Amino acid sequence: MAGLEYEGVDGRETKGDDADADHDASVFAHKQSRILDACRRRDIGDLQVLAISRGGFLSDAIRRQAWPALLGFDVGDAEEQKEKSDSWMHLERHRDEDQVKLDVERSFVYYPNDDTQAQLELKKSELSDLITEVLRRHPYLCYFQGYHDICQVLLLVLPPATRAKAVARLSVLRIRDFMLPNLAPAVAQLRLIPDILNAVDPALCAHLSRIEPYFALSDTLTMFAHNVQRYSDIARLFDALLAREQVFSLYVFAQIVLRRRAELFEHDEADMLHFTLSKLPQNLDLDAVVTDAAHLFNRHPPETLRSWRSISSASALKTARNARACAAQTLERGRAYFEKQRDELRWAETRDKALKAVWANRTVILAVVIGVGAVYFRKAPLWANLVSWSIPSRYF
């Protein structure tokens, strides 16, 4: 990432350029003060502006205050509840726990890269417990592969007392569409990406129209945590994604595509286009991407996109359309949205099965309809008179 980089799980910042250290330190201190003040006031609007600005929330020490505020809970309350809460270990086992174990074993691939094997094993154990606790406390949620990538970022940034609360609120209120019984709502979200591209660059959109937008599934599903390889980058990106509306991640992806315009026009084959777009460049200037994505959002808000009307009213894209309102929502409200969308999915599946059955038996159904119609015509006096008047008697 260009300019200053603030790295480290312990929240300490390291400078990428010492040429003007005093000025940089002053800028850092001023912004840090503004972020912490916004956290104390729980001012989501100010936090949004600061999250988009250069460097995001700057360090993990500040993120530990900012992220809970954005997710709608108080750090002190979470710590107190954690101490008083009953152990989740005695709750009924979640149906997806075997898959959780498999995925956790593949976690922490890129970062932290200075831990010993013993330290990594401890983090994996903590990650497994974190995911399992959230799933057992909210058993209606369905685990999806890549969820562990999101959770490991929150685990590295947040202290133990606030992790489960943060993951639960993120899961139920922000990424709920991905935790439904199937991924149809997640795929529906991808349809917004071509709409965004078409609004800005119709030629590029037309060039990519030969492939479905499934290339964006991995990044949008995991909040980019699966493919971003540097810890400082993913933490900075999470600043923006947690501060903004849930739909903002689609604008970030669209902006990355726009920045790769020349590269994409070098490929004409559908397979190569899909392969290229499914691999996230590692040299991205994330500050620029986030800033440009915010401008893109302002110029072409989701309500102006053709596919927006196809998104369920219970989708997190719409219920979390306002980040301030989303932070105030309860988990009970999130569950109600989940159940409404789940019922919509079940109805859609029933409808699709019925339509497929009708199509598969269309010949038989048509024959029955014709047969019933023939009998009706012969028995109905009015129709019988009309038919006998218009058709010679030899046909009866």
Side-chain angles (χ1 to χ4, degrees):
M1 200 164 62
L4 296 180
E5 289 190 356
Y6 300 94
E7 301 187 67
V9 176
D10 60 0
R12 291 177 297 175
E13 63 273 11
T14 59
K15 293 183 172 60
D17 184 2
D18 296 327
D20 197 359
D22 291 340
H23 173 72
D24 290 341
S26 175
V27 170
F28 178 89
H30 176 66
K31 185 175 182 182
Q32 175 179 263
S33 177
R34 290 182 61 196
I35 298 170
L36 293 176
D37 178 61
C39 290
R40 283 190 291 270
R41 293 183 289 107
R42 302 184 73 80
D43 192 323
I44 303 297
D46 279 0
L47 287 173
Q48 286 183 317
V49 173
L50 293 162
I52 297 300
S53 65
R54 182 171 174 264
F57 293 143
L58 304 176
S59 72
D60 286 352
I62 302 176
R63 291 182 179 106
R64 292 181 188 117
Q65 300 296 319
W67 288 9
L70 293 169
L71 289 170
F73 70 94
D74 182 81
V75 173
D77 291 344
E79 292 173 347
E80 184 177 349
Q81 290 174 8
K82 186 71 173 178
E83 292 176 0
K84 295 180 179 180
S85 64
D86 296 329
S87 175
W88 57 269
M89 294 183 182
H90 301 300
L91 297 176
E92 185 177 351
R93 194 173 188 273
H94 192 274
R95 59 192 172 277
D96 296 328
E97 288 185 26
D98 289 339
Q99 186 61 53
V100 171
K101 290 180 180 179
L102 293 175
D103 286 353
V104 166
E105 284 301 311
R106 297 190 289 266
S107 61
F108 303 108
V109 174
Y110 300 122
Y111 50 78
N113 51 23
D114 56 353
D115 278 11
T116 64
Q117 188 60 38
Q119 290 172 321
L120 284 176
E121 290 302 320
L122 176 60
K123 284 185 172 63
K124 288 181 179 181
S125 176
E126 292 175 337
L127 179 61
S128 180
D129 287 350
L130 173 61
I131 296 173
T132 304
E133 176 179 356
V134 171
L135 292 178
R136 288 190 182 185
R137 292 191 186 279
H138 307 278
Y140 59 92
L141 295 175
C142 302
Y143 176 83
F144 64 90
Q145 287 186 281
Y147 183 69
H148 70 291
D149 292 312
I150 298 173
C151 293
Q152 76 177 24
V153 177
L154 273 72
L155 181 144
L156 291 173
V157 171
L158 299 175
T162 62
R163 291 170 185 167
K165 184 88 170 183
V167 171
R169 290 190 63 82
L170 177 68
S171 302
V172 176
L173 301 176
R174 302 291 297 265
I175 60 171
R176 179 179 64 245
D177 290 14
F178 307 149
M179 307 193 77
L180 285 155
N182 64 55
L183 287 178
V187 173
Q189 292 187 16
L190 301 183
R191 305 294 178 192
L192 296 171
I193 294 176
D195 291 350
I196 299 171
L197 296 176
N198 189 58
V200 182
D201 192 337
L204 178 59
C205 182
H207 182 65
L208 300 179
S209 64
R210 67 196 71 186
I211 56 175
E212 294 287 345
Y214 302 143
F215 49 76
L217 187 60
S218 175
D219 285 316
T220 56
L221 200 66
T222 66
M223 297 174 63
F224 297 89
H226 184 70
N227 291 324
V228 174
Q229 298 181 10
R230 289 190 295 188
Y231 175 75
S232 59
D233 285 353
I234 193 59
R236 189 271 171 272
L237 189 53
F238 265 47
D239 292 341
L241 297 181
L242 294 177
R244 293 297 301 257
E245 306 84 346
Q246 183 59 26
V247 72
F248 188 66
S249 62
L250 299 172
Y251 284 81
V252 171
F253 192 93
Q255 184 57 46
I256 292 172
V257 174
L258 291 169
R259 292 172 68 89
R260 305 177 71 184
R261 186 180 198 276
E263 176 189 3
L264 293 170
F265 271 109
E266 293 176 358
H267 304 293
D268 291 322
E269 302 84 1
D271 290 346
M272 280 302 300
L273 284 171
H274 180 92
F275 176 79
T276 302
L277 287 166
S278 63
K279 301 296 181 182
L280 198 67
Q282 294 304 312
N283 59 344
L284 285 172
D285 181 348
L286 286 180
D287 275 328
V289 168
V290 166
T291 300
D292 291 345
H295 292 319
L296 186 61
F297 182 94
N298 291 336
R299 292 196 304 271
H300 307 283
E303 290 79 8
T304 66
L305 305 177
R306 182 184 61 181
S307 299
W308 182 252
R309 66 176 67 94
S310 302
I311 302 297
S312 167
S313 61
S315 166
L317 292 192
K318 291 186 175 178
T319 63
R321 176 64 178 82
N322 182 296
R324 185 180 292 104
C326 181
Q329 289 173 2
T330 64
L331 294 178
E332 290 73 22
R333 170 60 64 183
R335 179 169 185 172
Y337 287 135
F338 179 97
E339 291 174 350
K340 182 176 185 296
Q341 204 168 2
R342 181 191 59 197
D343 291 343
E344 292 173 353
L345 288 175
R346 288 174 176 171
W347 182 88
E349 289 177 354
T350 301
R351 178 200 61 197
D352 291 345
K353 287 180 181 178
L355 290 174
K356 288 180 180 178
V358 169
W359 181 250
N361 297 281
R362 60 191 181 279
T363 303
V364 174
I365 294 173
L366 182 60
V368 170
V369 169
I370 292 173
V372 170
V375 172
Y376 177 80
F377 288 157
R378 293 175 70 91
K379 289 186 176 181
L382 175 61
W383 284 105
N385 291 334
L386 289 174
V387 171
S388 63
W389 175 80
S390 58
I391 303 177
S393 59
R394 67 176 178 273
Y395 290 105
F396 290 91

